[in-house]
Amino acid sequence: MNDGTRFADVTDDVEDRPWTRAFAAKDPEAFAAAFDENVVLEASALRSPVEGRDNVKQVMGAASGIYESLVFTQEITAGDRSCIEWEATALGGKELRGSTILTVNEDGRIVRAVIQHRPLDNLIAFSAELGRRLSGRIEAGHFHAGA
């Protein structure tokens, strides 16, 4: 992990895009601007997909607020898909690593996002915190209940 990096840093191997800037801003509206109206979010931190721009922007806005640092480290793009690897800290310095696969439509808006976190213990803690932050806004069954 990179110690002392600013939130949502982008290495030279990752293109600066609306998605990465939304994380830096921790702004649900910035996420919404990057999403298609019918976007689907699948994630290891979710028990089932979250659908629709308004719901996904709430999840992504809350998730970005949990991260203490986030560095996008590598990106591979082929056609309408990009895979971005990242490193993060959250929840009092717990380390997370993962990858995000984004699929865009012909307008460049994200229609599908798949986000994978590891290691498992930190993923479960992240999911539980996400559920707490979204209580009453997103159905609780999407998240791990925590310990």
Side-chain angles (χ1 to χ4, degrees), residues 21-142:
R21 288 190 297 274
F23 267 105
K26 297 186 178 190
D27 178 10
E29 295 307 320
F31 283 109
F35 296 141
D36 181 78
E37 180 179 334
N38 298 309
V39 65
V40 175
L41 171 63
E42 300 173 77
S44 55
L46 298 172
R47 292 182 162 199
S48 60
V50 172
E51 299 179 357
R53 181 185 299 148
D54 289 339
N55 290 333
V56 173
K57 83 172 183 180
Q58 287 185 64
V59 172
M60 296 308 302
S64 69
I66 297 171
Y67 293 114
E68 296 154 359
S69 68
L70 177 63
V71 179
F72 296 101
T73 59
Q74 296 286 321
E75 179 178 20
I76 299 168
T77 299
D80 62 354
R81 290 194 180 156
S82 294
C83 177
I84 305 166
E85 294 181 334
W86 48 266
E87 301 174 352
T89 57
L91 305 167
K94 293 179 189 267
E95 291 187 3
L96 292 160
R97 293 180 186 269
S99 58
T100 301
I101 300 168
L102 302 173
T103 305
V104 297
N105 62 16
E106 56 279 350
D107 297 325
R109 293 191 184 242
I110 298 167
V111 294
R112 183 171 176 253
V114 180
I115 304 172
Q116 306 300 329
H117 291 73
R118 62 185 187 281
L120 181 59
D121 289 347
N122 295 352
L123 158 66
I124 291 170
F126 186 92
S127 178
E129 178 61 21
L130 191 56
R132 280 190 285 280
R133 291 184 185 209
L134 290 166
S135 179
R137 294 187 286 157
I138 301 291
E139 183 181 325
H142 284 290

